[in-house]
């Protein structure tokens, strides 16, 4: 990843504001570099030569050292870093293998056959092969001819099939096809009622059924490209002012980013995308950086559609564990995806053949100036003098966009000088729709499982549940989870006219079961504290979880998709640190059966008080489509925040220096 950042920064020096860049020695949490991917491929291929084995690389990523080893190195960074190792998941002669490859020894030190339920991450190449196979299938060609469609305008896309109680399963995908012919917005013109299944190991169509012919939604009005728009037009937006030259708001040392009072390590992974590690904030009173986050990333994303018909019931997707957020990350556009002054970072993952695949400009990092107040106050009651102080909000953002099928997910990690970290998610792209023979809602006499958003076009109801893995180390590793309930009390003193007030009651979670929470049921504050560190007044130092809007699953608990996505059963979970427990849906998610999930781990009910613990947060969106989501969907945003609570002795931004503002015409300040 160090070389990745360096290449991106060379680009940024020419086009954008350049940060201070320092070349440093490798870090134990650095993502695998292109040369390391190539080395892994060479080591594995030597052990399993292609002349004897049918081999595909499903996932290759850093096998990070155990936390104590990393912490030991951090305390003595001049010492030799721990060995670089890679976690490799293969399909080898139709079996799943899990390997640990030691790069320094240039050898495989562990090789296990996985014979449990589920399959590893899908590769982009096998999905493309399955889609191409469908376009050559003779019964499908006959179906296209029967519908009077032009084959050259047909595009096919693979869909995972899940698990619905089968005793045995094959490694299969469904294939859904769409029609262009006048639009680039393929998802809004589905070719309905064709059920096609492809066996990935044999790479052949194993099931085909053309049930009936549904009306084709019109192409007119679906294309979102500027060249295809006709009057009347909307307003022309103003461009943001350029970042002044000569400023260097952040520094990059290898993969360690420093900005204002924050410092963290930035990584990239094929399965989860951005990985933010070792986030620490500088405390000037203590003259040192203090730990907040050891490692954070999006662990899983579950998207169940709510149409239970034969052709649709299986559309319950796990975008990280089945497809890979990193694999489906896209290059970001300067000034559209990221503002002036952003620095762009390339990302790499292993392709199906094990060779590195580059995604240029996959992440951007930038200083954000939203025009809001960080803090302000006017002493309005001091009549003989005017005292007013204000500081503008300035923050620092890491951004990536993953386009998984029809949806684009904008992922932000935002660091604030106050000590807060905001986790933002923006949902945009296009709806997944179903073709139906309706032009007006008055014609609908049956359940259609969605909203009629255009003629012959039903936007299907669905959910988005994102689970975050947040390994917090608040001022050290030994932390506890505290639930602070806001409780109404009756006033018994009859001399006081008030009848009630509220106060707080604290409860420290002893076990994993104590910590599981469904949000929105009662007023409470949720904190991760270090019970061994206290402020001068005696408060335990901590960070508070400030949730976004609460949403939970609406599927029945015994429904198969919900069994697989049991990590959505609660919004908040806390588990003891375990290096192997990092993906909430399990390692092998494709056609999994729910036997390796966050719910299963939490059911062990381990102790979590004054321990090295991991906070898991599930945020959700219930999406009832509307016409404004058609033909493209304006970004729907959500998120949550980690905010310091008794972490500092006083406000972390009290002594923040006001910026040197540029002179604006027709603007004066007192």
């Amino acid at each position: 990843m160090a070389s990745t950042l360096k290449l991106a920064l060379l680009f940024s020096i020419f086009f954008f504001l350049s940060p201070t860049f320092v070349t440093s020695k490798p870090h134990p949490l650095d993502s695998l570099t292109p040369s390391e991917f190539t080395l892994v491929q060479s080591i594995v291929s030597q052990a399993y030569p292609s002349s004897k084995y049918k081999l595909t690389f499903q996932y290759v990523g850093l096998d990070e050292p155990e936390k104590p080893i990393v912490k030991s190195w951090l305390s003595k960074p001049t010492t030799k870093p721990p060995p670089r190792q890679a976690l490799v998941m293969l399909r080898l002669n139709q079996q799943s293998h899990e390997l640990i490859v030691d790069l320094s020894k240039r050898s495989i030190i562990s090789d296990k056959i996985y014979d449990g339920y589920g399959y590893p991450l899908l590769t982009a190449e096998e999905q493309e092969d399955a889609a191409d196979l469908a376009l050559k299938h003779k019964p499908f060609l006959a179906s296209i001819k029967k519908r009077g469609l032009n084959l050259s305008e047909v595009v096919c896309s693979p869909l995972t099939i899940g698990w619905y109680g089968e005793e045995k399963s094959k490694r299969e995908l469904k294939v859904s096809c769409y029609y262009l012919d006048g639009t680039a917005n393929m998802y809004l013109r589905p070719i309905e009622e064709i059920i096609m299944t492809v066996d990935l190991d044999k790479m052949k169509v194993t099931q085909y059924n053309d049930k009936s012919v549904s009306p084709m939604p019109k192409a007119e009005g679906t294309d979102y490209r500027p060249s295809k728009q006709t009057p009347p037009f909307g307003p022309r937006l103003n461009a943001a002012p350029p970042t002044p030259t000569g400023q260097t708001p952040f520094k990059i040392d290898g993969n360690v980013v420093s900005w204002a009072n924050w410092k963290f390590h930035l990584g990239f992974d094929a399965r989860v995308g951005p990985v933010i590690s070792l986030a620490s904030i500088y405390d000037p009173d203590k003259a040192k950086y203090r730990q907040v986050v050891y490692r954070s990333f999006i662990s899983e994303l579950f998207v169940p559609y709510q149409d239970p018909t034969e052709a649709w019931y299986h559309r319950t997707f796990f975008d990280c564990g089945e497809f890979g957020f990193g694999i489906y990350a896209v290059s970001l556009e300067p000034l559209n995806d990221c503002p002036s002054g952003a620095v762009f970072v390339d990302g790499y993952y292993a392709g199906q053949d094990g060779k590195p695949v580059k995604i240029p400009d996959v992440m951007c990092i930038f200083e954000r100036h939203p025009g809001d107040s960080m803090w302000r106050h006017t002493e309005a009651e001091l009549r003989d003098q005017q005292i007013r102080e204000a500081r503008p909000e300035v923050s620092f953002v890491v951004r990536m966009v993953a386009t998984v099928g029809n949806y684009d997910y904008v992922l932000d990690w935002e660091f604030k000088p106050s000590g807060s970290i905001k986790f933002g998610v923006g949902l945009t792209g296009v709806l997944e729709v179903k073709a139906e023979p309706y032009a007006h809602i008055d014609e609908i006499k049956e359940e259609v499982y969605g909203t009629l958003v255009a003629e012959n076009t039903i936007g299907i109801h669905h959910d988005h549940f994102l689970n975050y893995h947040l390994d917090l180390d608040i001022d050290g590793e030994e932390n506890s989870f505290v639930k602070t309930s806001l409780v109404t009390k009756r006033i018994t003193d009859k001399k006081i006219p008030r009848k009630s007030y509220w106060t707080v009651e604290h409860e420290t979670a002893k076990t994993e079961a104590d910590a599981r929470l469904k949000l929105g049921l009662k007023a409470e504050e949720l904190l991760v504290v270090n019970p061994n560190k206290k402020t001068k007044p005696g408060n335990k130092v901590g960070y508070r979880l400030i949730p976004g809007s609460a949403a939970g699953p609406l599927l029945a608990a015994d429904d198969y998709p919900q069994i697989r996505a049991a990590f959505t059963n609660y919004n908040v979970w806390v588990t003891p640190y375990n290096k192997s427990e990092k993906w909430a849906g399990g390692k092998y998610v494709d056609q999994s059966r729910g036997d390796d999930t966050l719910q299963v781990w939490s059911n062990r009910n381990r102790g979590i008080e004054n321990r090295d613990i991991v906070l898991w947060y599930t945020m959700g969106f219930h999406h009832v489509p509307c016409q404004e989501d058609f033909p493209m969907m304006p970004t729907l945003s959500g998120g949550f925040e980690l905010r310091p609570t008794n972490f500092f002795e006083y406000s972390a931004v009290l002594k923040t220096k006001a910026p040197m503002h540029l002179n604006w015409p027709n603007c004066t300040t007192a």
Side-chain angles (χ1 to χ4, degrees):
M1 189 71 179
S3 61
T4 303
L5 278 165
K6 190 171 183 180
L7 289 170
L9 288 167
L10 290 175
F11 175 87
S12 72
I13 289 170
F14 184 76
F15 285 97
F16 296 100
L17 168 70
S18 171
T20 303
F21 177 74
V22 181
T23 302
S24 67
K25 62 191 298 185
H27 192 287
L29 297 181
D30 284 347
S31 303
L32 297 180
T33 65
S35 61
E36 288 176 322
F37 281 118
T38 301
L39 179 57
V40 169
Q41 192 248 12
S42 175
I43 293 169
V44 174
S45 297
Q46 288 177 15
Y48 297 107
S50 58
S51 59
K52 296 182 180 180
Y53 301 95
K54 182 181 178 182
L55 171 68
T56 57
F57 291 80
Q58 307 297 131
Y59 170 82
V60 181
L62 174 71
D63 184 49
E64 70 264 22
E66 290 282 359
K67 186 190 288 191
I69 296 175
V70 175
K71 291 291 186 74
S72 175
W73 180 85
L74 289 171
S75 67
K76 298 178 181 178
T78 56
T79 61
K80 185 178 180 181
R84 297 278 287 170
Q85 296 182 346
L87 170 63
V88 183
M89 301 170 82
L90 305 172
R91 287 293 289 175
L92 181 61
N93 290 347
Q94 299 187 17
Q95 287 185 313
S96 297
H97 281 241
E98 187 175 316
L99 281 61
I100 301 296
V101 177
D102 191 301
L103 298 173
S104 56
K105 296 179 180 178
R106 295 176 176 261
S107 64
I108 298 171
I109 60 174
S110 174
D111 186 346
K112 300 176 182 177
I113 296 176
Y114 175 73
D115 57 3
Y117 299 121
Y119 299 103
L121 194 69
L122 295 161
T123 69
E125 294 90 338
E126 64 190 351
Q127 293 179 68
E128 292 171 1
D129 289 345
D132 291 343
L133 191 65
L135 290 170
K136 301 172 184 177
H137 190 56
K138 289 184 179 180
F140 179 70
L141 300 181
S143 295
I144 295 301
K145 184 176 181 180
K146 179 175 66 175
R147 287 166 170 77
L149 304 179
N150 183 352
L151 183 64
S152 65
E153 297 287 338
V154 175
V155 179
C156 293
S157 178
L159 305 170
T160 50
I161 65 173
W163 169 71
Y164 294 90
E166 305 91 342
E167 287 296 323
K168 294 183 179 180
S169 62
K170 297 179 181 178
R171 198 160 170 266
E172 295 177 325
L173 290 174
K174 300 283 187 184
V175 177
S176 181
C177 299
Y178 306 86
Y179 197 55
L180 300 176
D181 194 26
T183 184
N185 201 345
M186 57 175 264
Y187 288 103
L188 295 188
R189 304 200 75 199
I191 304 172
E192 292 289 356
E193 302 301 334
I194 293 176
I195 300 174
M196 186 164 23
T197 305
V198 172
D199 185 313
L200 288 177
D201 287 328
K202 298 179 179 179
M203 200 51 72
K204 71 175 186 178
V205 177
T206 55
Q207 179 188 8
Y208 187 84
N209 186 8
D210 185 353
K211 297 181 63 181
S212 61
V213 178
S214 293
M216 177 68 62
K218 296 178 180 178
E220 182 181 358
T222 64
D223 207 315
Y224 44 77
R225 292 174 292 180
S227 62
K228 303 299 180 181
Q229 307 310 310
T230 59
F233 294 109
R236 179 175 291 279
L237 304 178
N238 296 323
T243 301
T245 58
Q247 297 181 7
T248 54
F250 54 93
K251 181 178 75 173
I252 300 175
D253 183 357
N255 296 317
V256 176
V257 182
S258 300
W259 172 84
N261 48 354
W262 278 103
K263 182 167 63 175
F264 61 87
H265 182 278
L266 176 61
F268 177 80
D269 178 73
R271 180 160 175 162
V272 302
V275 181
I276 307 293
S277 304
L278 303 173
S280 300
I281 188 165
Y282 188 75
D283 186 332
D285 289 332
K286 296 182 182 296
K288 67 176 183 178
Y289 280 94
R290 298 171 64 190
Q291 302 172 64
V292 179
V293 177
Y294 178 72
R295 206 153 167 82
S296 70
F297 49 85
I298 290 181
S299 175
E300 192 54 86
L301 170 57
F302 176 50
V303 188
Y305 283 83
Q306 304 303 314
D307 185 335
T309 58
E310 184 178 0
W312 271 76
Y313 73 89
H314 60 86
R315 300 191 191 206
T316 55
F317 306 122
F318 293 76
D319 284 350
C320 290
E322 292 176 338
F323 300 101
F325 251 19
I327 292 174
Y328 282 89
V330 296
S331 297
L332 301 175
E333 289 191 11
L335 304 181
N336 288 328
D337 288 316
C338 308
S340 169
V343 167
F344 291 78
V345 180
D346 299 336
Y348 291 86
Y349 67 90
Q352 182 171 283
D353 59 2
K355 296 178 181 178
V357 178
K358 177 181 177 180
I359 310 176
D361 305 337
V362 72
M363 293 184 287
C364 68
I365 52 180
F366 57 91
E367 193 173 71
R368 172 182 276 166
H369 298 258
D372 300 329
S373 294
M374 178 169 65
W375 68 266
R376 71 164 339 277
H377 184 60
T378 299
E379 291 294 349
E381 300 303 319
L382 298 182
R383 300 177 185 178
D384 59 341
Q385 56 184 314
Q386 181 177 333
I387 298 178
R388 181 183 69 231
E389 287 292 336
R391 300 290 183 272
E393 180 78 278
V394 181
S395 59
F396 189 68
V397 178
V398 176
R399 174 171 294 165
M400 190 196 83
V401 175
T403 301
V404 188
N406 54 306
Y407 265 100
D408 294 57
Y409 295 93
V410 184
L411 312 175
D412 281 358
W413 276 254
E414 182 177 5
F415 297 84
K416 296 191 172 190
S418 63
S420 284
I421 308 174
K422 293 189 72 174
F423 301 78
V425 176
L427 279 60
T428 180
V430 300
L431 295 173
E432 186 151 346
V433 304
K434 184 177 183 180
E436 293 281 16
Y438 306 114
H440 194 278
I441 60 173
D442 291 346
E443 301 170 10
I444 301 174
K445 307 300 181 185
E446 60 184 351
E447 176 67 82
V448 292
Y449 314 108
T451 303
L452 184 67
V453 294
E455 185 175 350
N456 304 134
T457 306
I458 301 291
I460 300 298
H461 300 147
H462 59 281
D463 301 312
H464 304 262
F465 292 105
L466 296 97
N467 179 273
Y468 283 77
H469 170 105
L470 304 167
D471 184 353
L472 304 182
D473 285 355
I474 306 300
D475 226 6
E477 295 174 16
E478 286 72 33
N479 290 176
S480 295
F481 182 65
V482 177
K483 297 179 284 185
T484 299
S485 299
L486 280 58
V487 180
T488 301
K489 296 283 189 176
R490 299 290 296 183
I491 297 174
T492 58
D493 188 343
K494 295 183 179 180
K495 297 178 182 178
I496 299 175
R498 281 274 296 273
K499 295 183 180 299
S500 65
Y501 68 101
W502 64 260
T503 188
V504 297
E505 295 179 354
H506 304 289
E507 178 190 354
T508 299
K510 306 290 186 184
T511 67
E512 292 174 275
D514 294 338
R516 294 194 291 250
L517 291 171
K518 296 180 180 180
L519 297 176
L521 301 180
K522 63 178 183 178
E524 56 192 344
E525 292 199 348
L526 308 173
L527 295 93
V528 175
V529 303
N530 187 328
N532 312 295
K533 302 284 183 68
K534 296 183 180 180
T535 60
K536 291 177 181 178
N539 294 306
K540 297 172 184 176
V541 303
Y543 260 71
R544 177 165 38 124
L545 171 66
I546 302 179
S549 58
L554 298 176
L555 297 179
D558 62 347
D559 198 356
Y560 294 107
Q562 190 56 39
I563 293 172
R564 299 175 65 212
F567 59 85
T568 67
N569 289 339
Y570 295 93
N571 301 105
V572 177
W573 311 71
V574 179
T575 63
Y577 166 78
N578 185 323
K579 175 187 161 183
S580 67
E581 296 176 3
K582 59 182 180 179
W583 297 319
K587 275 188 180 180
Y588 297 86
V589 176
D590 182 32
Q591 298 181 54
S592 62
R593 303 192 180 186
D595 55 355
D596 178 30
T597 67
L598 176 56
Q599 174 79 67
V600 173
W601 311 333
S602 178
N603 284 345
R604 298 169 188 163
N605 206 23
R606 296 161 290 187
I608 58 171
E609 184 180 12
N610 201 14
R611 298 275 298 276
D612 187 0
I613 57 177
V614 177
L615 175 69
W616 307 76
Y617 179 73
T618 304
M619 60 181 294
F621 302 83
H622 298 303
H623 192 173
V624 179
C626 63
Q627 288 183 244
E628 286 79 5
D629 296 333
F630 178 92
M632 46 68 59
M633 179 180 163
T635 301
L636 174 65
S637 298
F640 64 99
E641 182 176 349
L642 293 174
R643 186 179 179 93
T645 302
N646 301 319
F647 187 82
F648 299 103
E649 294 294 340
Y650 51 85
S651 170
V653 292
L654 171 68
K655 300 180 182 180
T656 301
K657 296 179 181 179
M660 298 295 293
H661 294 293
L662 297 176
N663 291 325
W664 286 7
N666 303 318
C667 178
T668 60
T669 59

